[in-house]
Amino acid sequence: MAGLEGVEQPRRHASATAARWSPAVEDEHALRAMELFGNPAEAEVSLPSRPESAATARRLAQVVVLRHWGLSPKMTEDSVLLVSELVGNAVRHTGARHFGLRMLRRRGWIRIEVRDPSRGLPCLMPVHEYDISGRGLFLVDKLSDRWGVDLLPRGKTTWFEMRVADR
């Protein structure tokens, strides 16, 4: 991905990847992604509509939810998973060149949005035990407190919200 040349690529052997992964390295990659693309908690970030952008979106979500907002690792894990699912849908199903990622926090809630230029609505499909794909919106529906789609004059925003405990 442009500008992420120094970021280590996934290895073929899981044991090699597991041995080299550390939270500090992941934080470094997340902060590097934020330097390159911007902070989605301050303004919408535009990312290229390519499969590898899902990793960038996950890193941005991780650094915002865990480090900037100081929320729990469980909330971070769920948010990162759902961001990945929405980004995957935008990349696979819209034919767009770019998509936008925006993250908002208000008292008691976080909201994460993925905007794309397609007006095609996502569809929550029934999921069966042995399905190998098509679980994205099912996960969004199960892990978020609410989700939806806002149609725009040119495209749509797919979003989810999760309750958080304010300190």
Side-chain angles (χ1 to χ4, degrees):
M1 183 179 313
L4 292 177
E5 289 82 9
V7 175
E8 187 173 321
Q9 297 300 310
R11 305 231 185 256
R12 292 188 187 269
H13 303 292
S15 60
T17 302
R20 293 186 175 212
W21 184 90
S22 76
V25 170
E26 190 59 28
D27 281 350
E28 180 182 316
H29 292 170
L31 292 171
R32 176 78 174 133
M34 192 169 285
E35 287 175 14
L36 290 170
F37 296 101
N39 184 342
E42 294 174 358
E44 182 178 289
V45 170
S46 179
L47 295 168
S49 189
R50 298 189 304 231
E52 57 268 24
S53 290
T56 302
R58 285 191 300 270
R59 288 181 172 127
L60 292 170
Q62 174 202 339
V63 77
V64 168
V65 175
L66 187 63
R67 303 290 179 224
H68 291 194
W69 292 344
L71 300 177
S72 72
K74 174 66 171 138
M75 176 68 68
T76 302
E77 181 181 330
D78 289 350
S79 299
V80 167
L81 173 62
L82 300 186
V83 163
S84 188
E85 296 300 338
L86 293 187
V87 167
N89 285 348
V91 170
R92 274 189 298 277
H93 302 300
T94 67
R97 294 163 116 192
H98 291 87
F99 65 89
L101 174 67
R102 190 168 97 166
M103 302 176 66
L104 306 162
R105 181 162 185 201
R106 63 181 196 268
R107 186 172 175 83
W109 292 91
I110 64 168
R111 178 180 173 112
I112 300 181
E113 304 175 343
V114 173
R115 185 185 52 78
D116 65 69
S118 168
R119 288 180 55 89
L121 296 175
C123 184
L124 179 59
M125 302 295 289
V127 174
H128 303 287
E129 184 178 356
Y130 297 107
D131 289 347
I132 58 172
S133 66
R135 294 178 181 263
L137 285 180
F138 173 79
L139 291 172
V140 172
D141 188 58
K142 293 300 178 196
L143 295 176
S144 69
D145 289 293
R146 55 186 175 214
W147 70 276
V149 180
D150 297 331
L151 285 175
L152 307 170
R154 291 190 174 153
K156 68 177 174 299
T157 299
T158 307
W159 55 268
F160 67 87
E161 293 182 340
M162 300 171 84
R163 285 188 175 99
V164 297
D166 285 319
R167 299 175 200 181

